[in-house]
Every structure is written in structure tokens, then in C-alpha cells.
Amino acid sequence: DSFKYSYPPLVDDDFQTPLCENGPITSEDEHESKEEIDADTKETVELNEEQNLNQKKMNSVEQISKSEETDKTEIKPKIAKKALTTFKGPLLHISPAEELYFGSKETGEKKCLIVLTNVTKNIVAFKVRTTAPEKYRVKPSNSSCEPGTSLDIIVSLHGGFAASLQDRFLIMAAEMDQSSGAGVPELAQFWKEVPRTKVMEHRLRCHVVESSKPSSLTLKENAFNIPAKTNEDLHIQLTRLLQINKRLQEQIDHCLWFQQLSVVLSLLSVTVVAFCFYLAYTQRS
């Protein structure tokens, strides 16, 4: 099937700058402090170190046990499927391609990951906007990506908000000159001057994954609680059935006895009538 899904832009999409992870972000004209930038870089470095450690642990465990090697082979198709859901744009490859999957209130899954890969030879500036800026926090929401590198964007729900199917995200990207810097002031000035025709836009929808935990929990509770009651009920029903069966057997025996008696009486009556006819015939003769 050669059908390819496309998400055309809607007229009523009102994309706005979302909230950052620590609260409302400043306007593009204002500059962020160096401490916030250093904190962001430290957090990204720590995340990368944790990922490297986890990968090393997984590799060592997989070399020891064969069971986890089979798990690894089962994980490979999932990775391949994720790779197929990548939007390949002229500036950035965006994964996932169409939808961000959030959990419902019952599951508690409130974070989602967007991976951007720069496929150009220059720095690509990007910013993320959403139709529901009060719900979501995006980190980073306005930054740049080096040539040939990938960058993770964490999208999380704020407070008690829940994702909706009407919520959408817009990723805007534009190629920067090598001479221009990639700092916050340079990015703000760049987005003011870049022409609209050079901006790549890609939209993502939100998808809510329903939870199956409550139903499974109720099934487990029923599985634990019901058997004791059903055993008693089955025992009572069994005794009733045995009593009914005994009564039916007695009724059948009575019916058979009456049937046999009626047959014997009918045979006797026939023989008596025949004997009477015989006597009458002999007297006449």
C-alpha cells in the first residue's frame, strides 16, 4: 500500500510559545542568564552520562545471560518501527513523525520525547510552539542544533493537566550562516530577520493512550475474591441438583411400575375375554 499520511495545516491553529520546564519563558527579545544556560548544559551532560552508563550495564548483562540476548532481539524490531516513523525534512529529521503519545490521568505518563537530527552542513535554529502553552513545558523550546548531530526535546505536562487530541505542536526550523553565533541574542535576532520562505515547519498531534490497569486490577481482585463464594454456591447447587435428580428417578420408577402393571392387566383382560369367547363358542357347538 503506497498510501502516506499527511497532516495539512489548519486555519484555526493558534500556535504559541510553550512554557519552559522551570516556568514561563522570557520573550525572544530578552536574554537568558548564563547560570540558566550552564544549568541546562550540566543537565544534558548528566543525562548523556547516565545513558552511557545504562548502555554499558545493558551490554555487560547481555553478554552474560542468553535470556537477555533474546530480549535484545525482541527490542530490535521496535527500534526499527520507530525509525520508520521519522519525518525526513530538508533541514531536520523529526521523530516521531506524526503523534506524541501521552498517558491518561490513570497511567500518569506525562512526558514525551522529540528527537531532532540536523542533516545539513550548517547550524539549524529551531523553536517549538503549541496550541496549549498553559499545559505543556518544553525543554529546550528555542535553541539550535549542530551539523550532523541529534538533540532531544522533552515535552511534559504541567500540573494536573491532561493531554487532549486537539492539542498540536509546531516545530519551526531554519538554517543559519556559519558566521552567525548560536547564542540566545543571536537566535532572537535571527528569527526576526529570517524570511518565511526559508523556514521549515512540521506539525505534531497529541495522542492519549488509555490505561488498562484498572480493568486488570479489578479482574485480579475478582479472581481472588469470587472463588470462595462460587465454591459455596456450587456446592449448594450441586446438592439441589442431586435432590432433583433423585426425585425424578423416583417418578420414573413409579411410571415404569404403573406401565408394567397396566400391561399385565391388559394382557389378563385380553386372555379373560378370549377365554369367555371360547367357552361361549364351545357351548353353542
Side-chain angles (χ1 to χ4, degrees):
D1 189 5
S2 60
F3 175 76
K4 291 183 179 180
Y5 177 79
S6 61
Y7 182 76
L10 300 177
V11 180
D12 59 346
D13 284 352
D14 186 15
F15 291 99
Q16 300 178 18
T17 303
L19 300 175
C20 69
E21 197 169 86
N22 297 324
I25 64 169
T26 56
S27 61
E28 295 180 355
D29 297 334
E30 298 177 357
H31 306 310
E32 294 182 351
S33 62
K34 292 182 179 180
E35 294 178 357
E36 292 178 350
I37 298 171
D38 293 337
D40 292 340
T41 53
K42 285 180 182 178
E43 288 178 0
T44 53
V45 169
E46 289 176 356
L47 287 171
N48 291 328
E49 289 179 354
E50 289 178 358
Q51 290 177 357
N52 292 328
L53 289 172
N54 291 329
Q55 288 178 357
K56 289 179 181 178
K57 289 179 181 178
M58 288 295 292
N59 291 329
S60 61
V61 173
E62 285 170 0
Q63 290 176 358
I64 293 170
S65 62
K66 293 181 180 180
S67 62
E68 293 186 0
E69 286 181 9
T70 56
D71 293 337
K72 186 178 178 182
T73 56
E74 290 177 357
I75 290 170
K76 283 182 181 179
K78 294 181 181 179
I79 297 171
K81 287 182 181 179
K82 287 184 179 179
L84 293 175
T85 61
T86 302
F87 170 77
K88 296 181 179 180
L91 304 179
L92 295 175
H93 286 184
I94 303 171
S95 181
E98 299 293 341
E99 294 181 339
L100 297 177
Y101 289 90
F102 290 94
S104 60
K105 289 183 179 180
E106 298 172 352
T107 58
E109 296 174 0
K110 296 185 177 182
K111 288 189 178 181
C112 194
L113 185 68
I114 302 174
V115 181
L116 304 181
T117 304
N118 187 353
V119 294
T120 66
K121 296 181 180 179
N122 296 323
I123 299 173
V124 173
F126 69 89
K127 58 182 177 180
V128 183
R129 298 192 173 223
T130 179
T131 55
E134 71 281 356
K135 286 186 181 181
Y136 300 95
R137 296 180 185 269
V138 181
K139 185 177 181 181
S141 61
N142 186 8
S143 185
S144 60
C145 188
E146 296 293 329
T149 60
S150 296
L151 188 140
D152 295 341
I153 299 174
I154 300 173
V155 182
S156 58
L157 282 165
H158 173 59
F161 287 104
S164 175
L165 297 175
Q166 286 77 26
D167 298 340
R168 289 178 292 276
F169 285 85
L170 173 67
I171 299 174
M172 302 173 65
E175 194 172 2
M176 300 179 68
D177 295 332
Q178 294 181 355
S179 58
S180 60
V184 177
E186 289 82 4
L187 286 173
Q189 188 64 29
F190 170 76
W191 286 113
K192 289 180 180 179
E193 297 176 354
V194 65
R196 187 76 176 179
T197 55
K198 293 185 178 181
V199 177
M200 184 195 87
E201 294 184 354
H202 183 66
R203 287 168 171 79
L204 296 172
R205 295 180 302 171
C206 291
H207 184 79
V208 181
V209 180
E210 296 296 332
S211 173
S212 60
K213 289 182 180 179
S215 59
S216 63
L217 287 173
T218 52
L219 286 173
K220 288 180 181 178
E221 290 176 358
N222 292 329
F224 283 111
N225 295 329
I226 288 174
K229 297 180 180 178
T230 51
N231 287 331
E232 294 176 359
D233 294 337
L234 284 172
H235 181 69
I236 294 167
Q237 289 178 1
L238 215 116
T239 53
R240 288 178 181 174
L241 286 173
L242 288 172
Q243 291 175 358
I244 293 169
N245 191 12
K246 189 176 179 181
R247 290 174 185 173
L248 288 172
Q249 188 67 34
E250 290 176 354
Q251 290 177 0
I252 291 170
D253 293 337
H254 286 299
C255 290
L256 288 172
W257 184 77
F258 281 115
Q259 188 178 4
Q260 291 173 358
L261 183 62
S262 61
V263 169
V264 171
L265 290 174
S266 61
L267 287 172
L268 287 172
S269 62
V270 168
T271 53
V272 168
V273 169
F275 184 70
C276 291
F277 276 112
Y278 176 73
L279 289 175
Y281 180 74
T282 52
Q283 287 177 358
R284 286 177 184 178
S285 61

